[in-house]
Structure formats: structure tokens, C-alpha cells
Amino acid sequence: MYLEFYGFRENPFNLTPDPRFVFFSKTHREAFAHLMYGIQNRTGFIALTGEVGSGKTTVLRTFLSHLDGDRYHTALIFNPLQSPRDFLQSMNRELGIPPPTSPGESPLDALNQFLLRENALGRTVVLVIDESQNLEAAVLEQVRLVSNLETDREKLIHIILSGQPEFGQMLQRKEMRQLSQRIIVSYHLQPMDFPDTVQYIKHRLEVAGAKGGGFFSKWALKRIYRYSGGLPRLINAACDRALLVGFNRDSSRISHRLAAEAIKDLKKETAFYSWRRRIILIPLFVFLGILLAAGLYFAKLDSADPVYSLTRLWEKGKPQGEARVGLQGELPRAKVVENRETSESGGAREDFFRAMVGELGSHSESESARRAFNVLAGLWNSKPIPEATPWNSSDGMEAAALERDLLLYRFSGNLGALMRINYPAAVELIIPGVDGKRFLSLVGMEGEQIKIEPPLGERRFLAFSEVEKYWSGQVFLLWKDPLNLLAKVARGSSRESIKTLQELLREAGVYRKPSTGLYNSDTLSAVKEFQSARGIERDGIVGRQTLMVLYASIDRFQVPTLTAGKK
């Protein structure tokens, strides 16, 4: 919002990772060296810990980018909050291993065969698990078992576990000793010192296009260092807010006073959200207390006759008027029904797979992409791409979108995040036995079912798990920016554009101040409040995803959504 005022080409303190802004301090270089040593010496396990915002993910991304693609096959897992089986499936998906199709073949079997093939080709497989402090004990045990896959001479997979300091404490537990003993190389990433902090700020300003120096006074830099403790994420937040305060004060140089004002705003905002979270949790604790008390009360009543208690609970859910049947008559019948349903579901899965191969596999990758694009374009009342039109799906989609006054948004993530965007989308599928990729359009939702186009055999709705099984994690969406805010707000070229944004935020119910045309702390708080409420990363940046969801939340823009009428 202050870019033109200071002469920047782009935001120098954006919180989203960007390889061009990477700055390696002394501690970051040491962390990088430890990772490289562990991989080159084939130690199997490597641990990297550090405080929130210390730059662990930046080090990992840079490290992976330096590994030769001909010698290394890498994968990065960000969401370790899964069951052991789901985690193993996520690992296989990230490594590009298709789901097992042979009867009796497990995901671990498929992983083992893949690792043996990579080893025969002379490639080392490296798996990075970020946010490892969130791993459950059962998943950590699964990770340890995966590390047992080896030949007579060497490990088949090398695993980097990265997490907050709590992860290091987890490894000290007695039950974790089998894993911790296998971690030969470990490093704790320390915050930057003051000289590195100054160089870090200078580096980011230069990459953003700053001409000359002196944006921050020496005392402002010291104030920012004291606040951040040398943590890159906090440095970015403090510098970004300080530049915003300077912009609003028409000051091209950030003094100690302006830096202190910016930091005061940040602390106030943090305290507000912390207080609001505590207020929200109070009713939850009260409700849990009531549930606990009720559970203890009924447990006391039923403790005298557990058989009667179980019978009463069993019959409680039955329709009124149904004759009472003892446990010996009910339970076996329920078990038989469950087994029959399991058998039928296996047949249904086979029918579904055949329908998917028959419908999607009968078209080329390019044709599948064209059909998916046309489904989405139709929802925006735009003309389709004719069948006879020669085009390359990898780079032709964006041009086709622009020709129809639409924008193309490529998304990479999980299905939950995609559902929060709430736009019709074309997901990229990897189907075993089918060369290349295929695309399936998600056009609506009913309960826990996703409506698809084209239908697969008789199926017009799929469960979340059915989509995730074959989804590569990549997707494309079409959207419109009717007010052209993406470019205007990003450059901060006009106070009118900021005023327009403030009015949109007001319509969305999150901005309650006068429309000043200044991207001040009130506007920033409103953006973050909107992002938090919609499940978007709460970074205060009005980027593509935030704008897409903002337009969709306001009725007058008539945006097609997956959950029509459920804003």
C-alpha cells in the first residue's frame, strides 16, 4: 500500500516465502550445512528445530532447491496432523506414488517398491516433515518403521524432521527413545543477532527495488531488533507496519518514534486477538464441564447393572414402538449387516474406478483439461473452447481465461482449504494405469458429497475421500476481479482503490470505520479479521485468494460457488 511512496517494485516484507528474498544469517548457514552433511553422509534421520518464525521453512525450501534433481527425489509434508495410514498415503502422494491397485498391496508395499526403483536408478529419496511437533506418537512410530526400509548396504529413504522446540522435548520422552537414538544429526536454529538483522532488512529492501539506503534510522533498527528478538517473521511484521505508519505520516524515513508506534500497534492487535480467543473458549469449557458432570452422574446410576445400561443405550436409538430385543438377539444381526455393507462397498469402489478410467481415460490430458475448463467457463456464462481449437493445456488456460474476461488461479493444497475458497474448481487427478493427468470439475456440494462434472458412470456425487484418493493436490479455478483491485491495491497506486477495498470490507461486515483511503491499522485489522473468519492465512495481504473469497461473500457480484446460498 506504500510501494510507490517509497519507490519499491514490490512489498519488501511480505510474510509469504519468496526465494528471491532469502537471506542466510550465520545460524541459517550453519543449519544448511548440517542438513547437507546429514544427507551426503546418509545418516537416515536429521532433526531441525527452532522457534516460531525463525526461518526453518525457508532453510528447508532453499536446501531442497539445491539438491540435484538427477540425484535426489524430494518431498515435503506440511500437514502432519493425520492418522498413521493417512500420513503414509500423503507421503506416497507427495512422492508421486500411485495408490495400490493390486489386491492385498498396502501403501507401505508401494512405497518400498518405489524406493527400490529409485535406489536402482542411483537416486536418493529425501522426505521433509515440517511442523513435526504436531506428530502423534503413532505417526512417529510409522515414520520410524518407514526408515527401516533399506538394502543390505544403505538406507532407502532419508527423513528430515523439522519442528518447534517442543519437538525436541518430545524426543526426550522414554517412549521416543527408539526414534531419538536414530537421529545422528540435529541442529537448533537460533535467532539472528543485531548485525545480521540489519543486513537482513537491507537485503530485503534492495530486492524490493529500494534506491539508496537510510529508510530506517539506527535507533529504529535497534527498536525493531529488541521487539523481534532476531526472528525473521517478527522483523518482517515490524518493518512492514513501520513503513505503513511512515506512509500515513508522509515520512520517507522511519525514526525510532515511528518504529515504536508501529510496534505498539502490533502488540495491541496481538493482545486483542489473544483476549478474544480466551473469551471464546470460556463457553466451551463451561459446556465441557456440564458434559463431564452429566457423564459422571449417569455412570453412577448405571454402575449397578452394566448389562441393563448397555441394553438401555442400545434401545434408546431405536424407533418408538419397536419390540424390545435382548442384546443376544440384536448385536449379531448388526454385525452381519456391517459385513455385508463392507463387501458391497468394495464392489462399489471397483465400479467407481472402472467408471473413472472409462470416462476420463478415454480422453487425452489436453482434451480433459479443455473439457474441465469449459465446465467452469459455463458457470461464469462464458463461451467454451471449441473442440477443434489447438491448444496446450499447461500454458493455454491462462490465455483462454483472459480472452473471456476471467482470471485463472492455480491452487496447491488440501481439499479442506479448497472448500474454504468455495469456488467451482477443476482438480488434477493421477489415475493408476492412465498416462498423464486428467481433470474433474467440482461444481457443487450437498452435505458431505461433492457434485462433479462430467458424471462418472452413474455417479454425479463423490465423497471427499474418493476425490482425495486420486487428487494430485493441484487445481485450477476461474474468477473475476470486477473492480480491478488485485493490481491497484497491490501497488497502492490510488487512495480511491483503498477506499473501494474498505467499502467491500464494510459490506462483508468486518470494517466499521470511515472510508479514509489509507491502508491503516483499522483496514489491516479488518482484512485479517475477514481472513481469519474464512480460513485464509491471516497475513493482512489482499492477494488473489482473499479477493476471490471477498467477492464471493458479497451478493451483488453473483459469483458461482460450491455452496450456493450459503455465504
Side-chain angles (χ1 to χ4, degrees), residues 388-405:
T389 304
W391 79 309
N392 185 327
S393 59
S394 62
D395 55 16
M397 285 187 191
E398 194 151 5
L402 292 173
E403 288 173 5
R404 291 156 178 79
D405 295 324

Side-chain angles (χ1 to χ4, degrees), residues 31 34 36 76 95 106 114 265 320 365 382 389 445 477 494 532:
H34 276 73
M36 191 60 73
L76 178 61
L95 288 168
S106 70
F114 168 80
D265 283 349
Q320 291 186 358
E365 179 178 334
S382 295
T389 304
M445 281 185 64
L477 308 90
S494 166
S532 180

